[in-house]
Amino acid sequence: MTGRPTDLTRRAALRAGALAALAVPLAACGPGYDASPDPLQPLLAAAEADAAAARALAKGEDADAAGQLADARAAHAAALKSEVDRLNRPKPSTSATPPAPAALSDLKERLATARKQAEDLVGGLPRYRAGLVAAVAAGCAALQRTAPALGPGEDAPAPVAAAGAAPAEAVDPLQTALAAEHAAVWVYGLVSAFLPGDFGDAEKAGAAEHAVRRDLLQTMLSAAGATPVAPEAAYVPKKPVTDAKSASLVVATAEADCANAWLAVINHTDDAGLRTTALHALVAASRRGTPWRSEAGEKPTAIAMPGQAG
């Protein structure tokens, strides 16, 4: 008589386990579930393939660049996978695995394609996803400047204001972006005294573009009925600027601050035009900051997910 209750208990437990296993698929098919293929899945597959291919090439003279590429694309894959798994949407049919590259230069076109695919998605995604994919696009754009074999890649288009007034929910992040642009203009003026002559073109180009974005933001905010934030009289770098290396580091930090601010704009608006303006600024800051990080001796040279804290 002692055996039967145990059998019933075991049978009940097995039944409960089977029902629990069905819970996630059933929930996924409930009201509001999107049964279309996840548009992030191709980005994820490409990131995983690139990370594996670059890892296999991380030897010899390309070891450093290939290793940084592998690490960055692995970071992209991890971030994308977390989001793809969260929504648990159907996966598209598996595409053919790209051929294994024989050299780092064989990944140049794949990196450019991944960047464009990500950029093209930003305008139509929900806010969090738009910010995630924008960071991936900017990371790919920065990686294009880490080695001649991978780039140089295309620069972001010239700054253009989004059509119409900025939406109310974007005013605060746009003010933060303006503050970052004010600081960047000041930083480029500061470092000119510490950089050798061959840095002149990069310094002038960076200062000019940040001045254009500053003016653009002031116009956008005024059109939205807001008073644009004013620049500080001076800014205090985290570390003293005493030579070319420390000057390069403070410029790289200013570019990273601008990337952070512009990604926040993407995270706070559904306006496709404003997202495009912010994406171009994010990509520009990420690409411009990469060679400055290299001059400062920072590793990795390219930030994998520009604009994302941590």
Side-chain angles (χ1 to χ4, degrees):
M1 296 296 292
T2 57
R4 188 165 181 77
T6 303
D7 291 341
L8 290 172
T9 301
R10 183 181 299 113
R11 192 175 299 120
L14 289 172
R15 186 181 299 115
L19 290 172
L22 289 171
V24 172
L26 288 173
C29 296
Y33 176 66
D34 189 344
S36 62
D38 196 322
L40 270 58
Q41 184 63 42
L43 298 182
L44 169 57
E48 290 176 335
D50 289 352
R55 191 73 66 200
L57 294 172
K59 53 190 174 184
E61 61 181 17
D62 290 333
D64 183 58
Q68 290 193 53
L69 175 60
D71 290 345
R73 293 298 277 153
H76 297 168
L80 290 165
K81 187 176 188 306
S82 177
E83 176 60 13
V84 167
D85 289 349
R86 182 181 72 84
L87 289 194
N88 192 32
R89 286 166 62 175
K91 294 179 173 56
S93 56
T94 305
S95 57
T97 303
L104 188 63
S105 58
D106 294 337
L107 290 171
K108 176 178 179 177
E109 195 60 36
R110 283 165 57 166
L111 188 60
T113 299
R115 171 185 167 182
K116 186 175 189 311
Q117 288 176 335
E119 288 177 339
D120 288 347
L121 285 174
V122 170
L125 293 171
R127 291 184 185 182
Y128 170 73
R129 287 191 143 208
L132 169 64
V133 172
V136 170
C140 290
L143 286 164
Q144 290 176 308
R145 300 205 70 182
T146 56
L150 295 174
E154 295 183 3
D155 286 331
V160 178
E169 71 271 11
V171 167
D172 284 347
L174 285 171
Q175 293 278 30
T176 302
L178 176 55
E181 295 293 350
H182 280 315
V185 171
W186 185 89
V187 162
Y188 272 97
L190 168 71
V191 301
S192 59
F194 298 92
L195 296 173
D198 55 355
F199 284 65
D201 289 345
E203 182 266 321
K204 291 176 183 176
E209 184 163 340
H210 283 293
V212 170
R213 294 196 191 280
R214 174 201 62 197
D215 296 345
L216 183 73
L217 280 163
Q218 290 174 329
T219 300
M220 291 171 63
L221 286 162
S222 295
T227 301
V229 64
E232 300 289 339
Y235 299 84
V236 180
K238 292 180 180 179
K239 295 182 180 180
V241 178
T242 57
D243 55 16
K245 184 175 181 180
S246 56
S248 297
L249 180 59
V250 77
V251 173
T253 301
E255 295 292 358
D257 289 344
C258 287
N260 293 344
W262 283 108
L263 183 62
V265 174
I266 296 173
N267 286 332
H268 286 83
T269 185
D270 298 317
D271 185 286
L274 182 54
R275 282 187 184 180
T276 297
T277 296
L279 174 63
H280 291 167
L282 169 64
V283 167
S286 305
R287 284 176 57 78
R288 200 163 38 242
T290 299
W292 290 110
R293 285 176 60 84
S294 179
E295 291 293 338
E298 293 291 289
K299 293 291 184 180
T301 304
I303 297 173
M305 304 280 285
Q308 291 202 341

